Amino acid sequence: MKKCLFCQIIAKKIPANIFYEDEKFIVFYDINPIAPLHLLLVPKVHIPSINDLKAKDKELIGELFLLASKIAKKQGIKSKGYRLIFNVGKEGGQAIKHLHLHLLGGKTLPWSKY
Ligand code: 5GP
Ligand code: ZN
């Protein structure tokens, strides 16, 4: 998707601080972090949001969670705890319409009823 910001980061047309990359995923630091560790785990295939998942994406999404847990272990926050978030759609606060998983950690994260 030419106009998609994350597709452009994947294509290296826009720079990002890349933490990890393989054939299926790219992981980079959020430009506006809300926690000491704030990574975005992004499948390279353009899927707009959780709402667009198909049965064929089951394995990819499973691998995405496995990657998140491996990163947490590597960053030493596995036992301390961390948060994984998918924002979905307008009310969910999704700004970038390319599916991504936020990994937040490095402090006690606040929780509220909103
Ligand atoms: P969303 O609100 O769609 O769930 O999350 C999008 C995230 O992407 C936000 O946390 C925002 O700070 C981050 N972001 C937006 N533009 C860029 C960018 O150009 N580079 C990086 N690294 N992160 C970005
Ligand atoms: Zn995209």
Side-chain angles (χ1 to χ4, degrees):
M1 257 233 162
K2 269 191 179 164
K3 281 190 289 181
C4 169
L5 176 68
F6 285 180
C7 281
Q8 288 178 280
I9 288 175
I10 290 160
K12 309 279 161 64
K13 291 192 174 129
I14 290 177
N17 192 354
I18 296 170
F19 174 90
Y20 171 84
E21 185 172 13
D22 64 24
E23 67 280 0
K24 288 185 186 166
F25 302 101
I26 188 165
V27 179
F28 50 88
Y29 289 92
D30 197 293
I31 205 165
N32 188 20
I34 58 166
L37 180 67
H38 187 169
L39 292 169
L40 301 172
L41 284 64
V42 185
K44 288 188 171 177
V45 60
H46 182 88
I47 299 169
S49 89
I50 287 286
N51 285 339
D52 302 291
L53 287 176
K54 305 276 188 295
K56 67 174 168 55
D57 302 317
K58 270 193 291 191
E59 200 173 311
L60 184 77
I61 296 305
E63 287 173 14
L64 180 59
F65 281 111
L66 279 173
L67 179 60
S69 99
K70 275 184 200 157
I71 290 172
K73 189 176 177 186
K74 211 173 159 197
Q75 290 300 107
I77 57 171
K78 180 185 168 181
S79 57
K80 283 187 213 164
Y82 55 97
R83 187 168 294 158
L84 299 174
I85 300 173
F86 285 111
N87 291 327
V88 183
K90 200 175 165 202
E91 291 198 358
Q94 183 180 4
I96 309 289
K97 291 172 185 63
H98 181 130
L99 189 146
H100 53 281
L101 181 61
H102 294 256
L103 191 161
L104 303 168
K107 69 169 187 182
T108 299
L109 298 161
W111 189 249
S112 80
K113 279 187 167 179
Y114 298 106

